[in-house]
């Protein structure tokens, strides 16, 4: 078993001793900036690392507590596994204590430990009061019940208890199923002599090694990994949950900034509209009206947009709703991501939630279908979510390779869901894509309607030719078309005869008038014998199209024989002619066209094509200017 990797983030009000505590635990001073040293406060993120008593290697992200730097705090808090929540024992709960607590709660950080710092400044009785107060503040949050450990960065008191508590919290982190592709939110960019552009971040999922191709999102610039470091040391491969520094080829310092993402190519794309579940904090100062301007924080990025509430006009503090966030510049989100929302002005944390659809289409107001669909995405099992992703992809289907990504789950999990859905007939495999039964049904319904309309228009024809139907659905991918035809056939609705399709009944049904016309034409042919008429002459006044259809029907029914494209004989007449030919052959072994013409009492105009027809059938064979037996 490889050693577990975790990233621990600090949180807490300004001056409560976060940086001092990290220094106590790791020996590393995370306040690197000159201004930080001068002012004695943290401004930007600081990074350190330590090995816990259990051997677990932990990356540490130290965040600033100042209310003006919450944006930096958010960039650090994304992707942490645990929080080291710092509250100074002498001050207790302060404004950014609450704001940071809201943030880690909305992000659903997997728990953590509360450090009551500056324990050296207070007495035992006070400490107990603060402890009780803090425990109350944590109620109903991800830190409810978390260990509360008094410590002092000055005396070192409580250090071992804190480390032990962190180890305990590490052991309680649920095992995460991570996607295979690489995903890293960039939280720092700088240049290093000899290495060029270097970025750092927590590797959310996937593995990274030298030579890997990546894409910078949302800008979509391609880069290659030149060097990988973890905790200041070159490594062969970085694994999920590690703090990583990457030297990159193909990008300059100016082309990449905090808030950007590094992804395996094709694993994600920029998006300007996301459908979400949005929760307004209980402590939010006011209700949120639909279309309110907000700041959307995901990963290390901040994007401004508007929150369109999908199922109401106004959201009250403590409530949650389905919403569509329309962003002013592209973000990068995947289904299931947690995010934080701050109000546009004043800049305070008001809520957050989870991404339901990363690439959304604009919804009409109060579209109940959308609300239903999103509820399914939200509450659904992996199977429901895969089905929903395939459904959302529409009539062209969803490439099987993209299913896991669209449904927001690892490949292995989506594969299980896909096989269940295939077995249940809820999705269909068409080539390399998956198509939802609903879309297949729609194509099948369209095909059926097209065939039905055709049969109404041409009641005498046995359906439409395959070629014509395909032409009418030229915009439908061949595989989808074939699957739809197949589904109609399996449902017993589609009938196929030679090159034709017919819907709903295998037989042509004629009106009494059409039946009479057919009988009249058949009788006409029978009566004419070998001196056949033009069909149209047998049905004067009837449109030629219709007459041709009747003739075609009679051919299909085996009543007329088609000798050439224009010449038809009644099959009874053909039997007589064939008997005559066979008799002449058995009498003399051969005969000439003129002999046949006389015996059959017909003209050369019919005799020649008739004999050629018998040649084709093998009844006769031409030998110079005579016919001999053909062998059949
Ligand atoms: N007595 C005492 N002082 C402490 C302790 N921890 C921190 N301090 C002092 O508190 C002040 C602020 O400590 P920092 O560690 O910079 O606080 P911070 O939470 O990182 O502050 P920001 O990053 O600006 O939010 C410093 O002057 C520290 O020396 C402690 O355990 N005991
Ligand atoms: Mg600090």
């Amino acid at each position: 078993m490889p050693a577990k990797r975790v990233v621990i983030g600090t949180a807490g009000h300004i001056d409560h001793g976060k940086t001092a505590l990290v220094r106590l635990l790791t020996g590393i001073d995370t306040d690197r900036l000159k201004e930080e040293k001068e002012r004695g406060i943290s401004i930007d993120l600081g990074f350190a690392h330590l090995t816990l008593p259990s051997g677990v290697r932990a990356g540490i992200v130290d965040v600033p507590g100042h209310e003006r730097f919450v944006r930096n705090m958010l960039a650090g808090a994304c992707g942490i596994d645990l929080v080291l929540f710092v509250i100074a024992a002498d001050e207790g709960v302060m404004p950014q204590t609450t704001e940071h607590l809201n943030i880690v709660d909305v992000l659903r950080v997997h728990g953590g430990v509360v450090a009551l710092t500056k324990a050296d400044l207070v007495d035992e009785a006070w400490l107990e009061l603060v402890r009780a107060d803090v425990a109350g503040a944590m109620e109903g949050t991800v830190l409810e019940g978390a260990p509360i450990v008094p410590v002092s960065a000055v005396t070192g008191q409580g250090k071992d208890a804190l480390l032990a508590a962190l180890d305990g919290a590490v052991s309680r982190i649920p095992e995460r199923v991570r996607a295979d592709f690489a995903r890293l939110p960039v939280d720092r960019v700088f240049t290093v002599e000899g290495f060029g552009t270097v970025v750092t971040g927590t590797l959310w999922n996937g593995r990274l090694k030298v030579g890997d191709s990546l894409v910078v999102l949302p800008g979509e610039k391609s880069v290659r990994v030149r060097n990988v470091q973890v905790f200041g040391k070159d490594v062969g491969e970085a694994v999920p949950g590690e703090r990583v520094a990457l030297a990159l080829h193909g990008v300059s310092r100016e082309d990449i900034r905090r808030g950007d993402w590094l992804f395996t190519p094709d694993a994600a794309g920029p998006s300007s509209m996301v459908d979400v579940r949005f929760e307004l904090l209980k402590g939010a100062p006011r209700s949120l009206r639909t279309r309110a301007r907000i700041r959307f924080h995901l990963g290390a990025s901040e994007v401004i947009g508007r929150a369109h509430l999908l199922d109401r006009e106004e959201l009250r503090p403590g409530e949650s709703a389905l919403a569509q966030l329309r962003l002013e510049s592209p973000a990068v989100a995947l289904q299931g991501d947690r995010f934080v929302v701050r109000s546009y002005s004043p800049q305070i944390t008001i809520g957050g939630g989870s991404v339901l659809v990363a690439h959304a289409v604009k919804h009409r107001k109060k579209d109940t279908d959308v609300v239903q669909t999103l509820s399914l995405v939200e509450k659904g099992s992996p199977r429901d979510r895969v089905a929903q992703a395939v459904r959302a992809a529409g009539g062209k289907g969803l490439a099987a390779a993209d299913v896991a990504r669209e449904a927001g789950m690892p490949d292995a999990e989506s594969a299980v869901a896909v096989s269940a859905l295939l077995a249940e007939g809820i999705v269909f495999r068409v080539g390399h894509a998956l198509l939802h039964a609903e879309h297949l049904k729609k194509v099948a319904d369209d095909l059926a309607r097209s065939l039905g309309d055709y049969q109404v228009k041409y009641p005498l024809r046995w359906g439409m030719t395959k070629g014509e139907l395909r032409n009418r659905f030229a915009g439908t991918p061949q595989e989808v078309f074939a699957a739809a035809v197949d589904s109609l056939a399996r449902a017993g609705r589609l009938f196929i005869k030679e090159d034709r399709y017919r819907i709903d009944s295998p037989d042509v049904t004629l009106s009494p008038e059409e039946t009479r016309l057919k009988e009249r034409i058949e009788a006409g042919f029978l009566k004419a014998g070998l001196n056949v008429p033009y069909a149209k002459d047998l049905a004067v006044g009837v449109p030629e199209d219709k007459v041709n259809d009747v003739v075609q029907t009679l051919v299909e029914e085996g009543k007329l024989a088609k000798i050439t494209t224009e010449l038809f004989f009644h099959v009874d007449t053909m039997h007589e002619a064939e008997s005559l030919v066979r008799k002449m052959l058995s009498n003399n072994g051969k005969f000439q066209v003129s002999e046949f013409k006389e015996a059959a009492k017909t003209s050369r105009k019919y005799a020649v094509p008739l004999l050629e027809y018998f040649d084709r059938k093998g009844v006769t064979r031409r030998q110079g200017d005579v016919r001999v037996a053909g062998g059949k």
Side-chain angles (χ1 to χ4, degrees):
M1 266 277 291
K4 209 166 181 174
R5 270 92 170 165
V6 295
V7 177
I8 300 171
T10 63
H13 194 72
I14 185 168
D15 250 7
H16 275 202
K18 296 178 288 299
T19 303
L21 186 58
V22 170
R23 197 183 314 119
L24 174 74
L25 296 178
T26 67
I28 298 168
D29 183 2
T30 54
D31 279 349
R32 298 160 291 117
L33 304 174
K34 189 160 157 275
E35 196 187 347
E36 288 177 326
K37 298 271 187 233
E38 281 168 11
R39 293 171 64 184
I41 60 165
S42 301
I43 293 169
D44 207 347
L45 301 174
F47 301 93
H49 50 89
L50 94 156
T51 302
L52 290 169
S54 63
V56 169
R57 295 211 296 163
I60 312 260
V61 182
D62 182 31
V63 307
H66 197 294
E67 62 174 320
R68 279 196 30 228
F69 307 133
V70 173
R71 196 178 154 186
N72 292 343
M73 183 274 174
L74 279 162
C78 76
I80 62 172
D81 299 293
L82 292 176
V83 61
L84 175 56
F85 207 98
V86 170
I87 301 173
D90 58 341
E91 280 197 336
V93 174
M94 295 291 281
Q96 269 62 56
T97 308
T98 307
E99 184 162 21
H100 286 196
L101 181 59
N102 285 333
I103 288 168
V104 297
D105 190 44
V106 158
L107 288 175
R108 301 283 189 272
V109 172
H110 306 290
V113 175
V114 181
L116 281 188
T117 52
K118 307 195 187 184
D120 55 290
L121 298 182
V122 300
D123 61 26
E124 203 51 40
W126 179 260
L127 200 60
E128 285 317 307
L129 279 178
V130 178
R131 185 196 282 273
D133 194 32
V134 166
M138 301 295 162
E139 256 169 44
T141 75
V142 291
L143 285 177
E144 179 169 321
I148 300 172
V149 184
V151 292
S152 166
V154 172
T155 68
Q157 165 206 346
K159 179 182 170 185
D160 292 342
L162 187 62
L163 288 170
L166 284 171
D167 252 334
V170 168
S171 68
R172 288 190 294 273
I173 299 175
E175 198 59 50
R176 265 198 279 177
V177 201
R178 307 204 193 224
D180 308 323
F181 54 81
R183 181 183 198 191
L184 181 141
V186 174
D187 52 33
R188 253 191 318 167
V189 185
F190 46 88
T191 47
V192 173
E193 189 81 40
F195 279 112
T197 307
V198 174
V199 303
T200 70
T202 301
L203 187 56
W204 281 17
N205 43 246
R207 291 165 171 268
L208 283 178
K209 56 181 188 318
V210 173
D212 283 352
S213 294
L214 295 172
V215 60
V216 181
L217 292 176
E220 303 190 82
K221 192 169 177 48
S222 297
V223 295
R224 217 154 42 73
V225 177
R226 192 170 171 181
N227 183 256
V228 187
Q229 286 196 344
V230 173
F231 300 149
K233 293 205 179 66
D234 286 5
V235 292
E237 190 178 55
V239 301
E242 283 183 332
R243 289 278 324 156
V244 183
L246 295 176
L248 298 175
H249 269 301
V251 69
S252 67
R253 171 80 187 77
E254 292 69 41
D255 291 338
I256 185 165
R257 55 198 170 100
R258 171 179 289 175
D260 284 345
W261 297 82
L262 288 172
F263 264 97
T264 297
D266 298 327
S271 163
S272 296
M273 252 188 276
V274 288
D275 290 342
V276 302
R277 163 64 61 181
F278 178 74
E279 304 150 21
L280 192 63
L281 291 172
K282 252 199 225 82
R286 64 182 69 84
S287 295
L288 183 92
R289 291 197 58 78
T290 192
R291 301 196 66 244
R293 208 141 179 246
I294 50 107
R295 297 166 185 274
F296 174 67
H297 292 263
L298 203 168
S301 78
E302 177 193 44
V303 178
I304 291 165
R306 286 184 192 277
H308 290 248
L309 301 175
L310 294 175
D311 54 3
R312 66 194 77 195
E313 283 297 310
E314 188 172 336
L315 189 61
R316 288 196 294 266
E319 288 181 346
S320 89
L322 294 167
Q324 176 160 74
L325 305 183
R326 299 190 188 156
L327 306 171
E328 291 172 17
S329 50
V332 181
L334 291 183
Q335 207 226 342
D337 282 352
R338 301 290 312 183
F339 61 87
V340 172
V341 166
R342 308 191 82 216
S343 55
Y344 181 71
S345 177
Q347 295 190 32
I348 47 167
T349 304
I350 56 167
S354 64
V355 174
L356 300 178
V357 178
H359 298 266
V361 292
K362 208 174 238 181
H363 302 311
R364 278 172 293 118
K365 221 168 147 189
K366 306 240 171 65
D367 187 335
T368 49
D369 205 34
V370 168
V371 172
Q372 263 172 22
T373 303
L374 291 178
S375 306
L376 185 62
V377 173
E378 193 174 18
K379 300 197 189 76
S381 60
R383 182 182 150 286
D384 292 343
R385 279 154 54 205
V386 167
Q388 185 47 42
V390 175
R391 182 169 172 247
K396 289 201 168 33
L398 178 63
D402 293 341
V403 170
R405 177 184 113 195
E406 288 301 318
M409 61 183 73
D411 287 343
E413 199 175 357
S414 80
V416 172
V418 166
S419 27
L421 291 165
L422 284 169
E424 291 167 70
I426 292 167
V427 304
F428 290 84
R429 202 182 279 289
V430 286
H432 293 298
L434 293 175
L435 189 71
H436 196 278
E438 204 173 88
H439 293 292
L440 188 63
K441 183 172 179 304
K442 193 181 163 298
V443 175
D445 287 349
D446 290 349
L447 290 181
R449 194 171 323 108
S450 192
L451 288 171
D453 291 350
Y454 187 88
Q455 284 164 210
V456 168
K457 194 163 172 204
Y458 302 105
L460 294 157
R461 294 185 190 172
W462 198 93
M464 194 192 297
T465 64
K466 292 177 177 177
E468 179 161 359
L469 186 67
R470 184 71 191 99
N471 278 344
R472 291 187 183 197
F473 286 82
T476 306
Q478 170 56 28
E479 280 149 339
V480 175
F481 177 83
V485 165
D486 195 46
S487 74
L488 285 171
R490 271 185 290 120
R493 287 191 64 192
L494 187 85
F495 300 89
I496 305 175
K497 191 151 91 182
E498 284 150 25
D499 68 335
R500 283 169 183 274
Y501 293 126
R502 192 174 159 78
I503 198 75
D504 291 334
S505 80
D507 301 310
V508 171
T509 47
L510 302 184
S511 67
E513 182 209 337
E514 286 159 348
T515 308
R516 276 198 299 280
L517 177 66
K518 200 176 102 183
E519 284 167 358
R520 198 158 98 223
I521 291 175
E522 188 192 343
F525 274 97
L526 190 58
K527 186 156 161 256
L530 280 177
N531 297 300
V532 286
Y534 286 114
K536 64 174 196 259
D537 296 333
L538 295 173
V540 180
V542 178
E544 199 170 335
D545 243 17
K546 191 149 201 171
V547 174
N548 289 340
D549 285 349
V550 171
V551 169
Q552 183 58 39
T553 308
L554 287 166
V555 170
E556 281 166 13
E557 287 176 2
K559 304 246 172 72
L560 293 184
K562 186 175 184 177
I563 307 303
T564 68
T565 45
E566 267 144 40
L567 203 54
F568 301 85
F569 293 89
H570 198 280
V571 288
D572 291 358
T573 310
M574 288 304 290
H575 285 142
E576 281 170 28
E578 189 178 328
S579 316
L580 178 63
V581 163
R582 289 191 190 278
K583 202 165 126 222
M584 289 171 77
L585 287 174
S586 68
N587 285 350
N588 302 323
K590 60 180 185 188
F591 63 83
Q592 290 191 328
V593 176
S594 56
E595 290 170 296
F596 174 70
K597 192 186 79 177
E598 265 159 47
K601 299 189 182 61
T602 185
S603 66
R604 204 178 160 79
K605 175 174 144 198
Y606 298 127
V608 172
L610 268 172
L611 289 176
E612 283 168 357
Y613 174 78
F614 286 132
D615 289 344
R616 285 200 299 279
K617 280 188 65 183
V619 178
T620 53
R621 187 155 56 83
R622 192 173 165 177
Q623 216 170 55
D625 56 358
V626 296
R627 289 302 196 295
V628 294
K632 279 194 184 156

